[in-house]
Amino acid sequence: MLSKSSKLATTVAQEFFLRERKCFSTAMTLKKKHSCKLLVVGGGSGGCSVAAKYASKFQKGDVIVIEPSEKHYYQPMFTLIGGGMKKLEDSCKPTKSVLPKNALWLKDYAVKFDPAKNQVITKDGDSVEYEFMVMAMGLQLNFDQVDGLVDALKTPGVCSNYSPAYVTKTYEELKKFKEGNAIFTFPNTPVKCAGAPQKIMYIAEHYFRKTGKRDKANIIYNTSLPVVFGVKKYAEALMKVCEQRNIKINMRHNLVKVLPDKKEAVFENLDSPGSHLTLNYSLLHVSPPMSSPKQLKESKELVDSAGFLDVSKETLQHKKYDNIFGIGDCTNLPTSKTGAAVASQLKVVRMNLDARMKNEKLPATYLGYTSCPLVTGYNSCILAEFDYNGQPLETFPLDQSKERLSMFMMKKYVMPHLYWSLMLRGYWEGPEVYRKLLHLGLC
Ligand code: FAD
Ligand code: UQ1
């Protein structure tokens, strides 16, 4: 009999594929015409928080949110779900319950942007005219960009924490693992939560130790990057963790093909184009290629050459259209894409959008704050926090590059509450205030 979690995962997988298919069969007959003061595109972490802030200030219906999904996931929990520490249902709430009641929710995709006319068209053909717009469309997962991967994910041994459709499979695979190569990948694209591809590897390593399988496992991290992590202080700490725990790292190796029949994964050596490394796997955890969402990428006036929303890195205002702001993963802000970054960006968007609405000078500057709780097992975590310059910007007055139980407890027990109860209601704008308090105003 299927468990509650497996049933949810099956439904999620079905919905995921239906949604993707629907997305490409666009019927462009105009239906309803809406207008609003603030349009928020995307109802994920950033969109929900922004909508909550403004729906409470404005009249009913002044804020419209376009968001296609019925379900809102707290994605940072996927890492713990993959390790069997939380259930998929713990990470999920109905979108209806997390969007502000005062806002109008259009359950649809934004498919066409006409920023010169302040207008957006949805997939169902509705039009929305806005005075101001905040774009929070997140990232698109492109499993299909790795040859054979979509089929391989249906076969034993292959899993991914990145999608609710596959995340429960990760823990199933850890349980089933007997011996051989356990390979973890990092793609050759921008990603959300740059630590997530390796967090699950440390969890797996610890799981194998706990269950007496460690000496049978050869743990390999194949990353497209030339470093294990982008910030020196944390990279050094993680390299030590890998050495101590006998984890092999192949830098600059990008997964290009999976052959599930032979249980082989093929990696391109990015420093020697055309040269490939083929490895057998018993377990293959894939972090898929990611990109800006298709509908955004196609809006050439709004995006940079890589397809991300082109905003000022200081003010988060669009570089060409000053009534548009961006938040989160869909922007070209040169920082690591995380929910923690979104919380800090929320303050900047709120202050600068308020000012723009009054035609005043934009007062707030974003320093690139982002954070990544690098879970290194079932009771330890390195809490990375840093800015645009890769300089640590740590909240607590202790060395956060050390693996700590306290940080693990915070990740597992505190963060979910902070997210659901404060952040999505627009009340969490990052830890800056606490950092200043705890460092007596010195940083
Ligand atoms: P999202 O929250 O992804 O929301 C984007 C929304 O836009 C979605 O709801 C989507 O349906 C909607 N959308 C897409 N296309 C359209 C369209 N055409 N029209 C309308 N709506 C659209 N962050 C942390 O801070 N700490 C962590 O520990 C952490 N761990 C993570 C682990 C994993 C495995 C993953 C996957 C992510 C993790 N993150 C973590 C990252 C974090 O979840 C994201 O950075 C954050 O959710 C970004 O918020 P967002 O609003 O930009 O995008
Ligand atoms: C954070 O603000 C945040 O957003 C709610 C997260 O996840 C979603 C995080 O993982 C982290 C670490 C932060 C930063 C907060 C503190 C207290 C350091």
Side-chain angles (χ1 to χ4, degrees), residues 44-46 66-68 75-76 110 137-138 193 199 295 329 338-340 373 411:
S45 309
I66 306 180
E67 164 59 55
Q75 301 168 51
M137 297 165 71
C193 194
K199 294 179 201 180
Q295 300 87 356
D329 297 354
T338 66
K411 159 84 184 165

Side-chain angles (χ1 to χ4, degrees), residues 71-129:
K71 289 178 184 148
H72 182 113
Y73 288 97
Y74 173 54
Q75 301 168 51
M77 199 181 274
F78 290 173
T79 295
L80 302 180
I81 297 167
M85 290 175 258
K86 296 268 183 183
K87 298 269 172 270
L88 182 58
E89 52 266 32
D90 300 334
S91 70
C92 177
K93 289 194 181 187
T95 297
K96 190 169 184 278
S97 73
V98 293
L99 284 176
K101 305 281 166 284
N102 229 13
L104 173 67
W105 171 29
L106 299 184
K107 191 184 145 344
D108 206 344
Y109 287 88
V111 291
K112 197 167 175 297
F113 296 90
D114 191 343
K117 289 191 183 148
N118 296 328
Q119 196 188 54
V120 172
I121 308 293
T122 72
K123 185 173 149 289
D124 283 351
D126 289 2
S127 72
V128 185
E129 235 170 70

Side-chain angles (χ1 to χ4, degrees), residues 129-336:
E129 235 170 70
Y130 58 84
E131 275 180 60
F132 303 95
M133 174 162 72
V134 177
M135 303 187 67
M137 297 165 71
L139 278 185
Q140 176 177 303
L141 304 175
N142 299 316
F143 287 99
D144 58 349
Q145 282 178 6
V146 176
D147 199 3
L149 177 58
V150 173
D151 288 334
L153 279 158
K154 297 174 198 149
T155 66
V158 187
C159 53
S160 177
N161 276 2
Y162 268 84
S163 161
Y166 307 121
V167 63
T168 53
K169 197 176 172 212
T170 303
Y171 188 51
E172 295 310 311
E173 295 300 339
L174 293 190
K175 286 191 279 185
K176 279 195 263 169
F177 182 89
K178 287 199 179 73
E179 59 182 346
N181 287 343
I183 305 173
F184 298 81
T185 75
F186 187 112
N188 191 23
T189 64
V191 296
K192 48 181 154 184
C193 194
Q198 62 187 294
K199 294 179 201 180
I200 185 60
M201 171 173 73
Y202 302 124
I203 293 170
E205 195 277 339
H206 192 180
Y207 181 84
F208 296 154
R209 264 187 287 141
K210 286 201 308 173
T211 51
K213 303 192 267 196
R214 180 61 184 96
D215 57 343
K216 296 267 178 14
N218 184 25
I219 301 182
I220 306 168
Y221 186 48
N222 275 9
T223 170
S224 297
L225 300 178
V227 285
V228 72
F229 197 75
V231 177
K232 195 164 167 270
K233 175 173 179 171
Y234 307 112
E236 284 173 359
L238 292 166
M239 286 303 279
K240 278 199 195 119
V241 171
C242 289
E243 270 162 40
Q244 280 158 5
R245 292 163 67 174
N246 191 22
I247 293 170
K248 177 159 176 30
I249 307 180
N250 292 314
M251 309 275 189
R252 304 285 291 148
H253 277 75
N254 179 38
L255 179 69
V256 290
K257 192 172 186 172
V258 186
L259 300 149
D261 294 344
K262 296 200 223 162
K263 293 211 143 196
E264 280 177 0
V266 183
F267 296 87
E268 181 175 21
N269 181 342
L270 297 172
D271 287 333
S272 170
S275 108
H276 292 89
L277 170 71
T278 301
L279 295 174
N280 271 105
Y281 64 82
S282 299
L283 188 150
L284 177 66
H285 178 275
V286 181
S287 298
M290 295 168 219
S291 68
S292 167
K294 176 180 176 287
Q295 300 87 356
L296 175 59
K297 221 187 316 178
E298 284 167 357
S299 305
K300 297 294 175 207
E301 317 95 301
L302 291 177
V303 297
D304 67 6
S305 56
F308 289 94
L309 188 73
D310 199 12
V311 294
S312 147
K313 74 193 257 264
E314 284 87 25
T315 64
L316 277 57
Q317 186 179 42
H318 193 267
K319 285 190 186 153
K320 198 159 147 204
Y321 297 96
D322 69 1
N323 61 339
I324 299 178
F325 286 77
I327 190 166
D329 297 354
C330 72
T331 65
N332 63 354
L333 296 168
T335 193
S336 185

Side-chain angles (χ1 to χ4, degrees), residues 74 76 339-340 343 369 371 373 383 385 395-396 410 415 418 423 428 431:
Y74 173 54
Y369 173 86
S371 169
L383 181 62
E385 290 181 279
T395 302
F396 302 99
M410 192 180 75
M415 285 303 153
L418 192 91
M423 185 165 164
W428 176 248

Side-chain angles (χ1 to χ4, degrees), residues 372-377 379-383 400 402-405 407-409 411:
C372 186
L374 293 148
V375 177
T376 52
N379 50 18
S380 56
C381 175
I382 289 172
L383 181 62
Q400 289 183 199
K402 287 212 164 84
E403 294 178 82
R404 291 179 191 275
L405 172 65
M407 298 304 164
F408 177 83
M409 300 303 260
K411 159 84 184 165

Side-chain angles (χ1 to χ4, degrees), residues 49-50 53 327 342-350 426 428-429:
S49 322
V50 170
K53 281 244 178 264
I327 190 166
V342 169
S344 292
Q345 291 161 19
L346 180 63
K347 179 176 175 191
V348 179
V349 168
R350 167 180 63 79
W428 176 248
E429 294 184 336

